[in-house]
Amino acid sequence: MPEVSREVEVTFSADDGDELPSLAALAGSPDDPVPLLSGEPERQVLRTTYVDTADLDLARHGITLRRRVGGEGGGWFLTVPGGAPGGSQVRRPPGRAGSAVPDELQRLVRARTGGRLLAPVARVTTGRTVHRVFDATDRVVLELTDDRVSARRILPVEGSGEAAGAQVTWREIAVVTPDADDERLTAVAGALRERGLTEGSRTSELARVLDVGTPAPRDGRRRPTGRKSSTSSVVVAYLADQLEQIRSQDLLVRLGAPGSVHKTRVATRRSRSALATFRAAFDPDVVTPLRAELKWLAGVLGEVRDAEVMRARVRDVLEAGSADATVPPAPAGVDVGSAHAVARTALLAALDGERYDRLLDALEELVDAPPTTERGDRRAGKQLRRGIAHEYDHVRRLMKRSRAAVEPERRGRLLHDARKAAKRTRYAAELAGDVLGADARAFAAAMESLQEALGEYQDTVVLRAHLRELAAGTTDPAAAFTYGRLHALEEVRAREAEGRVPAVWAEARRKRLRRRLR
């Protein structure tokens, strides 16, 4: 399995003649009981080959995929932006690092590359001197690498083969704290700045060689913002944003980054909602199966997301219940993570499957060559208002029926349906924001408030059902009683949540009338 790690470092640009101070003196602190010791400098030669698509899709999105030979721990490395300074790094364990890109790393970047050929785009040779500082237990507390780099871009030759571009050279100093000791790192970095070194930009060595920038829209079109824009062009721009979100989160989902599943699920739901609300703007033979596939993906993501939420919610309830004198201590061995593990395994299998690949390709094709209809070619202003009004009417009918419902279960189902309808109304208003302006954005915010209020109530419904399952599955009377007591507390929370809904709904109705989105 690939190894995942976090890199915490600060880099500096340096000239050939710059002298480096004693690292042990810089890293030391008056609070250290024993002075730090400097190890003998270690010299290495690293040879790195970067691979990418012909269009440099990975580099343009801050992702690097490379094979390194020499030094310590050579092999294949995939570096991803975000999180801690330096980003996340996935490493193919040494010993199996041939010249071909490992299958598991190709799968990790599949959503970004679309399965296109990965080939060498740059070769870098680094003369590295490594300075390490040790504490009294012989543990490395700080590492400084002094790199003198020579790099060339690889240019494809028609037919087959490659040619090298112009040589680029530079010197770079990197200070690393293996244990993520931010205080020590900050102190050493500050001392180096005081000695005249300039902190380098976080531009990767590959970006220096390739001189790549921020990715531009694939088709180069300006984003439609005026009311004279066609309805289809506004919807397609929205779908393009959601597709980019899915692609950018795909790798983070695979690595288990917090929040990535939720963001992907939201982008998937927004895409499906847009194609439902404004389906008349496109050929139904294209839109109908695409909506079905988006529903499938949202469902797979939803299993993981719901399990995440449920796991956190059960833990919160158990912790809160432990502070309540009427609730016994949480029973030992409560497993609130198994459902999440099962759902995540299924999700990763789905992301590696052809069905997911076909879905991304279909979204890409719709964005690049939208199959519009006559209604889709009409001006956006009026059509967007109609779409928002249609979705809102659905919310209004469900809220009215929920107020008239006598049976709690029926009322709960209607409120759940109203929450989903409010979400679609919100997405429609968000989509129209660039065209209809503040009116649509304010109404979207009002619908979001309603959605959240209804969601809080629905959370209690789902959690109470889960607590009943836990109680039914235990043979421990004390555990069963704990779950029953927690269920009673959730019933109180449900009544409180439901009691807040009318005021939020009234405000949303006022907002719509005031914003003239009828």
Side-chain angles (χ1 to χ4, degrees), residues 184-385:
R184 196 183 298 274
L185 181 65
T186 300
V188 172
L192 291 175
R193 292 189 199 96
E194 290 176 359
R195 284 162 173 77
L197 290 184
T198 303
E199 188 169 350
S201 66
R202 297 200 180 274
T203 304
S204 69
E205 62 184 14
L206 178 62
R208 291 193 187 203
V209 180
L210 302 182
D211 190 26
V212 294
T214 302
R218 297 181 71 90
D219 57 8
R221 294 177 296 184
R222 293 181 60 189
R223 188 178 184 86
T225 57
R227 300 190 183 209
K228 294 183 179 180
S229 301
S230 69
T231 304
S232 59
S233 67
V234 176
V235 176
V236 165
Y238 184 80
L239 291 173
D241 289 344
Q242 307 317 312
L243 175 58
E244 175 55 32
Q245 177 76 316
I246 293 171
R247 290 195 187 282
S248 65
Q249 294 298 320
D250 177 278
L251 178 50
L252 299 178
V253 168
R254 295 172 187 269
L255 296 179
S260 56
V261 170
H262 174 62
K263 292 177 182 177
T264 308
R265 185 191 191 190
V266 169
T268 304
R269 284 177 160 180
R270 281 177 167 147
S271 300
R272 182 168 177 258
S273 181
L275 290 174
T277 302
F278 302 103
R279 56 187 174 275
F282 304 97
D283 182 350
D285 291 338
V286 174
V287 169
T288 301
L290 185 52
R291 285 173 54 200
E293 291 304 284
L294 287 167
K295 180 179 181 180
W296 161 75
L297 179 58
V300 177
L301 291 162
E303 290 293 327
V304 179
R305 176 59 180 167
D306 291 346
E308 285 178 349
V309 173
M310 185 57 59
R311 179 176 60 181
R313 187 76 190 104
V314 169
R315 286 174 176 166
D316 288 346
V317 168
L318 288 173
E319 291 175 3
S322 65
D324 189 323
T326 66
V327 180
V334 174
D335 181 9
V336 295
S338 59
H340 177 265
V342 171
R344 177 164 172 78
T345 298
L347 171 60
L348 294 178
L351 296 183
D352 285 339
E354 293 183 0
R355 185 175 184 179
Y356 175 64
D357 290 344
R358 290 194 300 269
L359 171 56
L360 294 184
D361 290 343
L363 279 171
E364 186 77 50
E365 185 176 348
L366 185 146
V367 168
D368 287 343
T372 62
T373 62
E374 184 273 333
R375 288 186 65 177
D377 293 335
R378 296 177 185 174
R379 290 183 178 182
K382 188 174 182 179
Q383 298 299 317
L384 296 179
R385 287 180 178 276

Side-chain angles (χ1 to χ4, degrees), residues 66-249:
R66 66 195 186 278
R67 177 177 179 253
R68 192 178 73 199
V69 178
E72 297 181 352
W76 280 95
F77 298 84
L78 174 66
T79 303
V80 187
S88 299
Q89 182 170 263
V90 182
R91 177 185 172 195
R92 174 73 179 270
R96 298 185 296 155
S99 59
V101 181
D103 289 342
E104 60 262 46
L105 296 187
Q106 290 196 53
R107 286 197 297 271
L108 286 176
V109 298
R110 174 65 177 80
R112 183 58 68 192
T113 66
R116 284 166 290 166
L117 178 67
L118 292 169
V121 294
R123 289 196 171 90
V124 179
T125 300
T126 303
R128 170 170 291 180
T129 303
V130 182
H131 304 266
R132 295 187 179 91
V133 174
F134 301 85
D135 63 14
T137 65
D138 209 28
R139 179 178 62 94
V140 176
V141 298
L142 197 73
E143 180 177 289
L144 182 146
T145 58
D146 184 356
D147 290 345
R148 297 172 189 267
V149 185
S150 173
R152 293 181 184 274
R153 180 171 181 174
I154 303 303
L155 305 173
V157 175
E158 186 175 351
S160 62
E162 59 188 39
Q167 179 175 273
V168 181
T169 62
W170 68 88
R171 184 184 179 192
E172 184 173 85
I173 309 295
V175 184
V176 183
T177 51
D179 294 331
D181 187 341
D182 291 335
E183 291 185 5
R184 196 183 298 274
L185 181 65
T186 300
V188 172
L192 291 175
R193 292 189 199 96
E194 290 176 359
R195 284 162 173 77
L197 290 184
T198 303
E199 188 169 350
S201 66
R202 297 200 180 274
T203 304
S204 69
E205 62 184 14
L206 178 62
R208 291 193 187 203
V209 180
L210 302 182
D211 190 26
V212 294
T214 302
R218 297 181 71 90
D219 57 8
R221 294 177 296 184
R222 293 181 60 189
R223 188 178 184 86
T225 57
R227 300 190 183 209
K228 294 183 179 180
S229 301
S230 69
T231 304
S232 59
S233 67
V234 176
V235 176
V236 165
Y238 184 80
L239 291 173
D241 289 344
Q242 307 317 312
L243 175 58
E244 175 55 32
Q245 177 76 316
I246 293 171
R247 290 195 187 282
S248 65
Q249 294 298 320

Side-chain angles (χ1 to χ4, degrees), residues 454-495:
L454 292 170
E456 185 179 355
Y457 172 77
Q458 179 62 20
D459 286 347
T460 70
V461 174
V462 176
L463 180 54
R464 278 178 284 157
H466 190 60
L467 289 170
R468 287 194 296 271
E469 291 176 1
L470 290 173
T474 184
T475 57
D476 182 355
F481 182 79
T482 297
Y483 293 135
R485 181 60 187 144
L486 292 173
H487 185 280
L489 294 175
E490 281 301 298
E491 287 182 326
V492 174
R493 179 170 170 259
R495 288 192 293 272

